[in-house]
Amino acid sequence: MAIAATGDAWAQTSPRPNSGPGLSPDPFGTGTGASTVLPAITVTAPRALEAEPTNAASEKRISGETLNTRPIERPGEMLEAAPGLIVTQHSGEGKANQYFLRGMNLDHGTDLAIWLDGMPINMRTHGHGQGYADINFLIPELVEQMTVKKGPYWAEEGDFASAGSLRLAYADRLDRNVVSATGGSFGYWRGLAAGTIPFGKGYLTGAAEFVAYTGPWQVPDNLRKYNGFLRYSEGTPDNGLAITALAYSNSWHSTDQIPVRAVSDGSLDRFGGIDQTDGGDTQRYSLSMRWTRSDEQTASKVEAYAIYSTTNLYSNFTYFLDDPDNGDQFQQSDKRKILGLNASHLVRHQLAGLPSETTIGTQVRYDDIAVGLFKTVQRTPLSTVRADQVSESSVGIYAKNTTQWTDWLKVTLGVRGDFFTASVASDNPLNSGAISAFIVSPKAGIVFGPFDKTEFYLNAGMGYHSNDARGATITVNPADPTTPQAAVPLLVRSKGAEIGVRSQRFRGFDTSLALFILDFDSELVFVGDAGTTEASRPSRRIGVEWTNSYRPTSWAAFDLDLAFTQARFSDYSSEGNLIPGAPDFVGSAGITLGADTGWFGALRLRSLGPRPLTSDGSVWSSFTTTLNGRIGYVFDSGIKINLDAYNLLNTQGSQIDYYYTSRLPGEAAEGVADRHFHPIEPLAFRLTLAKAF
């Protein structure tokens, strides 16, 4: 078996034949289900899937081969293979990442739906923020493929998917076993073992990971992460069964954002922290099942899952502003059980004598949540701001039809309906209650072509995101029960449209251009940091995305992605119409080199553009640009060694910037309005040694 130096099998597997003229070649988008374990685990969902037809200029399928060529500092950065997406971290390595896409600061996941093997990663009514999506349990080497869809145009995508959705799939089996060890700067250590054995009628695949990290911070991260994966699978992703168990535990200290004024006057180091007891711990355990059956006429899929998770976060963003004696640290706790079911059935048929396929599906989810916000001192409880028991359920039903009207015209029409219901039992009965909501979202897409390997697209649709259920039943401020608090809708409407083109006219070159618009009726969010709800204004984003990849030979690949967005509140206010935290530019570029054996390497440049930090534009963040690299060698014996380097230019940029009022010891009681930032880690190296057998 060939050893791919960059973690690539160079698309040795042929793409699947189309199931019908112009229709979807793979109704489930689940790849081959197998991976070739090379000196680092390499997934063999073939690169050819990346060239398959899409239904929008911004839709993209990315193989595990491509994903694993990228030098990434943390698991969430693997998602940056989605064009226009930037993933940062403004706290300890166990907290959910910060996401930026289509001119949106998505916080920890609102309006970006993330799935793994049919399980939702986004958390509703979470202690730290709506849509909280913690991807730190991901084992990147196991990812077989990722499907990227942007905009509210997809009938199968519901809550949190207005800006986009990412669907990741782990491989069902590994052709070779592997062990690897990594050590690097600032006390980074990682061990990974994975493999597959025959078991009964199928295969048993397992992986175990341990990570420890100190970090460059004056207060060490002391990260300790344990991760496990076990899957039994039979057949293929299109006709088979898979049962998967995941287990994850993590604990850490964190250095959160710090005020610029303290760094400027020399009283605080760039990598220093003010509250040295911030941090957290989290656990996630899940059991899931996938069952599929398909033939030339039909394709059925059922996914079921059960998830248990806990999160405790200790944060202090304002230091001594609210409580000069004890400080402003608070604890956000979230403990939940989730049950869910996804089912779909596709039928290929004739419509007026033309090839057509119709899909109907449902998505059911139930969350049982214990969530709380507490004032603390050095992680010791002082008082309860609010504590709630929440039950939240949703049922989504969708249908879509795709018909190939001519050899150059394909039309997809879809609609989904979502019903939500939630009950909140709060420690303050005035904030208890029950609420329900229903929303209908039509979708449409048109594909013109191909004309000389070039296709043109029109897409439009409506979507939504859910708000925190506590914000929908609130009547008084939890921190001050004498102050009334206005409730917000449980579901918030979004609308979007896109026009684009994609061309593969030249051999090895794939380019696409998309112009989009995305509206929200109101950017309503529950502010978990304060325990209250803020209703912001209606908004509009208009942007353009240009995505390119070029593979002139089997041993060289180049990519360039650029995205520009204008984000504005769409009503008038004397405060201004800029949306704080919304980036107007995201860019990335990469080079990957390497043959089956011998030397290999990669360089990746990523840039996050300036963001307004106030609505009037008086304060802005700066560009943040980093360069990462990889160099290594693959021996004929199956041993691989590679060196990854992060922030090669030693950029002193920010992972995140905010502008708000805080108070340091000795400052005036009203505090100081200032920019607060979390720095990018300095130049760092990690050396990995792996062996496949």
Side-chain angles (χ1 to χ4, degrees), residues 337-567:
K337 296 181 285 289
I338 306 174
L339 296 174
L341 175 73
N342 309 316
S344 64
H345 183 67
L346 178 149
V347 178
R348 301 181 180 94
H349 55 92
Q350 298 286 311
L351 180 64
L354 300 171
S356 181
E357 60 184 33
T358 299
T359 302
I360 58 172
T362 185
Q363 296 156 350
V364 181
R365 174 174 170 176
Y366 169 73
D367 291 59
D368 181 17
I369 313 161
V371 61
L373 178 64
F374 312 94
K375 286 185 61 63
T376 57
V377 176
Q378 297 182 356
R379 302 197 184 191
T380 300
L382 275 182
S383 61
T384 299
V385 178
R386 71 176 299 171
D388 303 87
Q389 187 68 41
V390 181
S391 296
E392 186 167 359
S393 303
S394 67
V395 177
I397 299 175
Y398 66 89
K400 67 175 182 178
N401 172 267
T402 300
T403 300
Q404 191 77 38
W405 292 95
T406 71
D407 59 0
W408 54 267
L409 178 62
K410 181 173 67 173
V411 177
T412 299
L413 299 175
V415 64
R416 70 174 290 134
D418 290 273
F419 176 74
F420 278 65
T421 181
S423 64
V424 178
S426 181
D427 57 346
N428 185 339
L430 295 175
N431 286 332
S432 299
I435 191 170
S436 61
F438 178 72
I439 195 166
V440 177
S441 305
K443 325 277 186 173
I446 303 175
V447 181
F448 301 93
F451 304 109
D452 197 15
K453 298 184 180 180
T454 300
E455 292 183 315
F456 299 88
Y457 307 87
L458 288 173
N459 300 88
M462 295 183 178
Y464 71 96
H465 70 236
S466 62
N467 271 327
D468 193 300
R470 294 171 293 175
T473 62
I474 197 170
T475 62
V476 297
N477 188 324
D480 180 12
T482 63
T483 302
Q485 186 77 39
V488 298
L490 185 59
L491 303 179
V492 177
R493 166 68 73 198
S494 65
K495 300 182 285 289
E498 179 180 306
I499 181 172
V501 59
R502 181 189 182 194
S503 179
Q504 297 170 306
R505 172 65 181 81
F506 301 103
R507 183 179 181 275
F509 184 54
D510 193 335
T511 183
S512 64
L513 184 70
L515 305 175
F516 69 88
I517 184 171
L518 179 61
D519 290 351
F520 283 90
D521 285 356
S522 177
E523 297 201 359
L524 303 174
V525 295
F526 181 90
V527 183
D529 296 345
T532 61
T533 300
E534 289 183 356
S536 64
R537 299 142 57 192
S539 64
R540 166 165 289 185
R541 290 168 173 86
I542 300 174
V544 56
E545 297 172 329
W546 187 34
T547 302
N548 305 272
S549 63
Y550 180 48
R551 180 173 290 275
T553 71
S554 63
W555 53 267
F558 305 86
D559 62 85
L560 172 66
D561 301 326
L562 303 174
F564 301 87
T565 307
Q566 182 189 75

Side-chain angles (χ1 to χ4, degrees), residues 545-626:
E545 297 172 329
W546 187 34
T547 302
N548 305 272
S549 63
Y550 180 48
R551 180 173 290 275
T553 71
S554 63
W555 53 267
F558 305 86
D559 62 85
L560 172 66
D561 301 326
L562 303 174
F564 301 87
T565 307
Q566 182 189 75
R568 299 289 187 270
F569 289 116
S570 54
D571 64 347
Y572 172 77
S573 171
S574 59
E575 298 177 355
N577 67 341
L578 297 176
I579 301 176
D584 56 11
F585 170 76
V586 168
S588 66
I591 302 173
T592 304
L593 304 172
D596 287 349
T597 57
W599 291 99
F600 64 92
L603 282 174
R604 293 217 59 81
L605 183 75
R606 58 198 282 270
S607 183
L608 178 63
R611 287 89 64 201
L613 303 183
T614 59
S615 295
D616 61 6
S618 59
V619 183
W620 285 71
S621 68
S622 301
F623 262 99
T624 298
T625 302
T626 57

Side-chain angles (χ1 to χ4, degrees), residues 263-336:
V263 177
S264 299
D265 66 20
S267 62
L268 187 66
D269 185 82
R270 180 176 174 82
F271 298 103
I274 295 173
D275 193 326
Q276 301 190 359
T277 61
D278 287 352
D281 60 80
T282 187
Q283 300 177 77
R284 186 188 187 278
Y285 305 96
S286 67
L287 182 66
S288 62
M289 178 274 291
R290 181 192 72 229
W291 176 90
T292 55
R293 289 293 182 270
S294 64
D295 54 34
E296 293 183 356
Q297 299 300 321
T298 64
S300 299
K301 184 175 186 177
V302 177
E303 298 167 320
Y305 55 88
I307 303 170
Y308 172 79
S309 72
T310 68
T311 302
N312 289 291
L313 298 174
Y314 298 89
S315 308
N316 186 344
F317 302 134
T318 53
Y319 319 126
F320 294 93
L321 180 65
D322 298 327
D323 190 337
D325 297 322
N326 298 304
D328 299 348
Q329 189 186 72
F330 56 90
Q331 176 191 1
Q332 296 163 314
S333 68
D334 188 280
K335 182 178 181 180
R336 70 179 61 216

Side-chain angles (χ1 to χ4, degrees), residues 37-41 174 176-180 192-195 690-693:
V37 180
L38 299 174
I41 299 177
L174 312 173
R176 299 177 70 186
N177 304 324
V178 68
V179 292
S180 71
L192 174 68
K691 168 65 176 175
F693 56 93

